[in-house]
Amino acid sequence: VLGILVFSTLLLFFYPTTYSNTDLLLAARAVRNGDFGHLLVGTRPLLLFLSAYLPLDPGLTLAIISSLSYLLAVYLTYKLSSILQSYREGLAASFVVATNHAVILNAASPNADVPAMASNMLIWYLFVKAIILHDTLARREITVLGIIAGFFSLIRETLLATALGIVVYLFKGSMKRALFFLAIFSLVPLSWQIISLYLFGFNYLAQLRTGIGLSLGYSGVPYNPVKVLGYLVDGLTPLLMLTSVLGFLFEENLAKLKLLTSLGAPSLALSVLW
């Protein structure tokens, strides 16, 4: 299976021009030419500046990052699911991620979707490992996790949902720990928002206004919640939806179920709202 995944990724890697006009790639090329007048400078600067200033073509750089992120996401899905369930569930979960056609189509594309997914899995993996090792997280562990999560939020703004999931979980044990994590996490994206607003005139508020405008009428077409729900089901795949329902029906460990719910609920809620 691993050989098939690697082969598929390498095969897709040779066709990065399929996504030659992604917003991130266009912004990276603009930044390389000295043009910083793009909203993604304020919301997704990490991959943007990395691809703009490395010696390779930005499209090739982003394709490489997406390809490696795809393999990393499959591996981390296996590791995380194995910790929370067993190695069989780990194999099943990693197979679902690896064969999701939306993930495969983005596996070598010059955008932030798959790198954000891999970053999400990495943050949760580190968080779950820390919980297992320390049982109750001290401020030192929360500080490290908060900084890492804040740094990865600069890949894509949807990583805010990952931090929200951790906050939801920490609230069940200690409100002080949850608020402390939120404060530490916020330092990195808030600092960048101040810098980007001062230097380039863009921040999350500008992106939010754009997002609302697109939601109300994308390319002149009125907002359609049914269509968005279709995107959600398509992205999760029917198999993942089915396994989620089975998990709720047959899961006997309530604490483990709460952790799994905390992991997925924020992203699910944001997808439905969007």
Side-chain angles (χ1 to χ4, degrees):
V1 173
L2 181 60
I4 294 174
L5 296 178
V6 173
F7 175 77
S8 300
T9 305
L10 292 176
L11 183 64
L12 287 167
F13 172 75
F14 287 104
Y15 297 96
T17 54
T18 304
Y19 300 89
S20 59
N21 292 320
T22 64
D23 290 342
L24 184 62
L25 178 55
L26 293 176
R29 287 174 173 161
V31 169
R32 173 172 282 195
N33 294 325
D35 179 12
F36 297 91
H38 201 289
L39 282 173
L40 295 186
V41 171
T43 57
R44 304 178 187 179
L46 194 56
L47 293 182
L48 179 60
F49 285 106
L50 186 65
S51 58
Y53 293 119
L54 283 178
L56 296 175
D57 178 78
L60 186 58
T61 299
L62 291 172
I64 293 173
I65 293 173
S66 289
S67 299
L68 296 177
S69 297
Y70 169 69
L71 297 176
L72 178 62
V74 173
Y75 173 74
L76 288 173
T77 300
Y78 166 75
K79 293 292 290 184
L80 184 58
S81 299
S82 298
I83 292 173
L84 296 175
Q85 300 288 339
S86 72
Y87 80 95
R88 290 184 178 180
E89 281 78 3
L91 288 174
S94 60
F95 180 77
V96 168
V97 172
T99 56
N100 182 300
H101 69 278
V103 176
I104 292 175
L105 287 174
N106 284 282
S109 64
N111 59 33
D113 294 14
V114 176
M117 180 180 68
S119 300
N120 168 71
M121 299 307 299
L122 179 59
I123 294 169
W124 272 105
Y125 176 72
L126 295 174
F127 177 76
V128 171
K129 289 284 287 186
I131 287 287
I132 293 174
L133 290 175
H134 304 284
D135 191 23
T136 301
L137 293 182
R139 287 198 172 187
R140 178 181 177 181
E141 287 77 34
I142 293 177
T143 300
V144 173
L145 289 169
I147 293 175
I148 293 174
F151 177 77
F152 280 126
S153 71
L154 300 182
I155 291 179
R156 201 168 193 262
E157 59 273 19
T158 50
L159 267 295
L160 296 174
T162 305
L164 178 59
I166 294 177
V167 169
V168 169
Y169 181 81
L170 289 176
F171 258 125
K172 294 179 293 185
S174 170
M175 183 179 294
K176 289 183 179 179
R177 287 190 179 89
L179 294 177
F180 180 70
F181 173 82
L182 187 61
I184 295 298
F185 165 80
S186 301
L187 288 177
V188 178
L190 283 178
S191 297
W192 176 249
Q193 291 309 297
I194 295 172
I195 294 172
S196 63
L197 181 62
Y198 176 74
L199 294 178
F200 312 117
F202 294 119
N203 60 6
Y204 274 116
L205 292 179
Q207 182 78 344
L208 182 61
R209 287 194 298 268
T210 302
I212 292 175
L214 292 176
S215 297
L216 295 177
Y218 185 75
S219 298
V221 179
Y223 175 72
N224 187 344
V226 176
K227 187 175 183 180
V228 175
L229 184 61
Y231 288 149
L232 176 64
V233 175
D234 175 64
L236 293 177
T237 74
L239 180 58
L240 185 55
M241 297 288 281
L242 176 61
T243 54
S244 299
V245 173
L246 292 176
F248 276 100
L249 290 177
F250 298 107
E251 177 61 69
E252 296 178 356
N253 189 326
L254 185 59
K256 191 183 296 182
L257 179 59
K258 289 181 178 179
L259 177 59
L260 293 172
T261 304
S262 298
L263 190 155
S267 295
L268 180 64
L270 287 180
S271 297
V272 174
L273 289 172
W274 177 252

